[in-house]
Amino acid sequence: MAQNERSTIFKGTSASLEGQKGSLILSAGGVSFIPDEGGRGVQIPLERIYAASIEGRILKKLCIVDSSGKRTLFSVPDLDQWKNVLEMAVHIYDALSTKAQPAAQKKPQVATPSAPPAAGTATASNPVTSPVAPPPPVTGSTRGSGIAQTVTKIIQKVPPVYNGQWPSGQDYEQSFQTLKLNLSPSIGKTDGWEAVRNPKNPSWYVHASGNYGSIYKISTGDGKFFALKCFTKKSLSINQRYSSISSYLNSLPNGPECLTHFVYYPEGIKTRKVNGVYFPMLKMEWIDGTTLNQFISAHINEPRLLKTTGNRIVEAAIALQAAGIAHGDLSGDNIIIDGRGKIRFVDYDGMFIPVFRGEKATELGHADFQHPKRNSQTYSEKLDAFSVLVIQLAMQALAVKPELWKKFNADDPDCLILRKPDYLKPSESAVVTELRKTRSRNLKKIIDLLLDYLSKDPLWDGFSLDQIII
Ligand SMILES: Nc1ncnc2c1ncn2[C@@H]1O[C@H](COP(=O)(O)OP(=O)(O)O)[C@@H](O)[C@H]1O
Ligand SMILES: [Mg+2]
């Protein structure tokens, strides 16, 4: 029985090890590399896997470190998925084995790759049913079947790797019509949840949407509401990123007030089009308010309010930076001014937190709010400085000259008054030329800073955000 459970394959792809082509397979028994040409392969039992990471700057490889410190580097096509699923398997195994056994027995120290079973081939397209001989029983393992059995059960509950098309806003809209039938049972109690129709467009449930997701408002039946975000674009690292962000925000005793707490469900909601797959979902506080663009339009003739709101946005960004966080996509859409005038940042898809240092950014933010040289390497808690400068410049300029809104925004929900072409060629920009005519010393200071910044690195630290509060 134990042997059968150990032979259940969770993941298998083509891979290469030291130039040798073959298949990499994860089963409850551990990781096996089976060379296509036959011959000696590698078997690393689950209980001996210490860590999995992605290594290499240009040629990236999956690195598996065993309990003796030995590192084995595999080339695989789906690095992030391998790393995630291995980490998950090891965590589950460790948690269970620590419970089941005294810690001293946790990892055997003997570390020799065992000979592979007879060569078979698993392909990326058919990893589960390919005729690969099961990995051999793990020698030296005394725990064996009990834990392997539970690991098998738990890993089987891990959302399947879905490679098809991601649902559209329309697909989710259908799901919200019969919400309860489409929510994953893994969420827990959802009895009172009722989707609230959009008051501005009552035939729709969706309240707002962006490039990456749709936002729905849910009533809990007792006068309270929360927001659900469903994702319309595929992201390989979404599970790992949102789990890390959630843990980090929860670990901060006085988290920045501009952020909202959220719960991330790797398996959240299904759609009619894709049978049996639950897509991720984010549950968060419903923020009653208006986006920055709507706020400016509504208060364009209230210079004091525009001025203080600009300063508050800068203060919120300072608080984030002090907590080691950058939002990564501050824009007119992702800033909400709530009913009490408080600044709230939403949309954490591109967020930087300290544990992401050294990694690459997965998104580059809206180009009209980003330094033109920003790329995936631009990733630290300083990331927001340029966007904040662009936003503050607009707020303070509009407080002095409200007519700039009609002239340079012209109902464009994607920007305030400056756009990417203005950053690329400021000397030819009509809005920059107009802004430079100002006689306000404060405003001039911000414009000069922005022009200076354009010739610097996107993470330039030649100024601090408190200098632009005016
Ligand atoms: N918690 C929330 N409460 C109320 N409205 C929200 C909330 N989160 C997002 N929104 C609104 O929904 C819009 C789209 O959500 P967002 O997370 O920015 O999606 P995307 O990643 O596609 O840009 C936002 O611009 C904002 O107006
Ligand atoms: Mg957004």
Side-chain angles (χ1 to χ4, degrees), residues 210 229 329 333-334 347:
K229 177 172 182 175
D329 189 13
D333 251 5
N334 289 337
D347 190 355

Side-chain angles (χ1 to χ4, degrees), residues 406-442:
K406 210 169 185 185
K407 190 166 177 190
F408 293 111
N409 175 270
D411 281 337
D412 182 346
D414 279 338
C415 71
L416 297 182
I417 54 172
L418 289 144
R419 295 173 178 81
K420 186 174 179 181
D422 301 313
Y423 312 138
L424 292 173
K425 290 191 175 160
S427 57
E428 294 172 21
S429 153
V431 61
V432 171
T433 308
E434 183 118 6
L435 288 171
R436 291 183 83 171
K437 287 184 198 153
T438 181
R439 272 182 284 159
S440 153
R441 277 178 52 198
N442 282 333

Side-chain angles (χ1 to χ4, degrees), residues 313 317 327-332 334-335 345 369-370 384 387-388 391:
I313 293 172
H327 178 279
D329 189 13
L330 287 180
S331 67
N334 289 337
I335 300 175
F345 294 162
F369 292 85
Q370 300 303 325
D384 291 332
S387 325
V388 174
I391 293 166

Side-chain angles (χ1 to χ4, degrees), residues 120-436:
T121 345
T123 61
S125 57
N126 189 13
V128 178
T129 54
S130 53
V132 181
V138 179
T139 47
S141 166
T142 50
R143 289 184 290 288
S145 64
I147 290 173
Q149 203 176 333
T150 321
V151 171
T152 307
K153 282 189 192 142
I154 295 175
I155 295 182
Q156 276 165 344
K157 286 189 186 156
V158 169
V161 178
Y162 175 72
N163 280 319
Q165 208 183 0
W166 217 243
S168 63
Q170 198 94 7
D171 296 330
Y172 286 124
E173 189 66 29
Q174 264 182 351
S175 303
F176 275 80
Q177 286 167 5
T178 49
L179 181 64
K180 277 179 204 148
L181 299 179
N182 296 311
L183 291 170
S184 162
S186 67
I187 295 174
K189 221 170 157 274
T190 55
D191 302 346
W193 292 20
E194 288 291 344
V196 177
R197 288 180 189 272
N198 182 344
K200 288 185 201 135
N201 198 347
S203 46
W204 291 83
Y205 283 103
V206 67
H207 279 246
S209 55
N211 266 336
Y212 293 87
S214 299
I215 301 290
Y216 296 86
K217 184 174 181 179
I218 307 297
S219 150
T220 51
D222 52 4
K224 295 198 178 114
F225 299 94
F226 61 84
L228 286 178
K229 177 172 182 175
C230 298
F231 297 87
T232 47
K233 280 206 180 123
K234 180 179 175 177
S235 154
L236 280 183
S237 49
I238 188 170
N239 288 353
Q240 180 225 334
R241 280 182 57 80
Y242 267 110
S243 308
S244 305
I245 295 171
S246 168
S247 320
Y248 183 66
L249 297 186
N250 286 330
S251 76
L252 298 173
N254 299 308
E257 278 186 16
C258 57
L259 298 183
T260 117
H261 282 275
F262 63 83
V263 182
Y264 175 73
Y265 300 107
E267 286 185 291
I269 186 164
K270 66 180 169 147
T271 57
R272 204 186 290 169
K273 238 191 222 163
V274 191
N275 215 356
V277 176
Y278 286 100
F279 292 91
M281 196 171 72
L282 214 56
K283 180 182 173 216
M284 59 194 149
E285 177 192 346
W286 175 261
I287 303 170
D288 246 328
T290 49
T291 63
L292 182 59
N293 273 60
Q294 295 163 342
F295 182 87
I296 296 173
S297 297
H299 300 284
I300 191 62
N301 291 318
E302 295 172 64
R304 255 169 183 270
L305 188 58
L306 295 181
K307 196 167 183 284
T308 50
T309 304
N311 286 338
R312 283 193 187 144
I313 293 172
V314 182
E315 284 161 7
I318 292 173
L320 273 199
Q321 208 177 70
I325 304 170
H327 178 279
D329 189 13
L330 287 180
S331 67
D333 251 5
N334 289 337
I335 300 175
I336 299 184
I337 292 95
D338 77 10
R340 287 176 300 153
K342 281 201 169 169
I343 305 298
R344 311 297 303 273
F345 294 162
V346 291
D347 190 355
Y348 306 156
D349 300 359
M351 187 171 267
F352 171 88
I353 53 168
V355 290
F356 294 161
R357 198 174 304 285
E359 290 183 17
K360 284 189 178 169
T362 49
E363 282 170 32
L364 300 180
H366 195 300
D368 290 342
F369 292 85
Q370 300 303 325
H371 193 287
K373 290 193 204 123
R374 178 176 172 186
N375 59 30
S376 62
Q377 316 268 16
T378 313
Y379 203 39
S380 84
E381 71 281 9
K382 302 254 168 67
L383 181 57
D384 291 332
F386 188 82
S387 325
V388 174
L389 200 50
V390 168
I391 293 166
Q392 174 68 327
L393 174 55
M395 299 304 283
Q396 303 309 324
L398 291 169
V400 183
K401 286 187 171 188
E403 65 275 16
L404 298 182
W405 188 237
K406 210 169 185 185
K407 190 166 177 190
F408 293 111
N409 175 270
D411 281 337
D412 182 346
D414 279 338
C415 71
L416 297 182
I417 54 172
L418 289 144
R419 295 173 178 81
K420 186 174 179 181
D422 301 313
Y423 312 138
L424 292 173
K425 290 191 175 160
S427 57
E428 294 172 21
S429 153
V431 61
V432 171
T433 308
E434 183 118 6
L435 288 171
R436 291 183 83 171

Side-chain angles (χ1 to χ4, degrees), residues 419-466:
R419 295 173 178 81
K420 186 174 179 181
D422 301 313
Y423 312 138
L424 292 173
K425 290 191 175 160
S427 57
E428 294 172 21
S429 153
V431 61
V432 171
T433 308
E434 183 118 6
L435 288 171
R436 291 183 83 171
K437 287 184 198 153
T438 181
R439 272 182 284 159
S440 153
R441 277 178 52 198
N442 282 333
L443 195 53
K444 196 164 171 358
K445 185 174 83 179
I446 304 179
I447 297 161
D448 289 345
L449 208 46
L450 183 94
L451 294 175
D452 208 8
Y453 202 162
L454 289 172
S455 62
K456 308 280 199 261
D457 184 85
L459 296 177
W460 182 46
D461 57 6
F463 77 105
S464 62
L465 289 176
D466 53 10

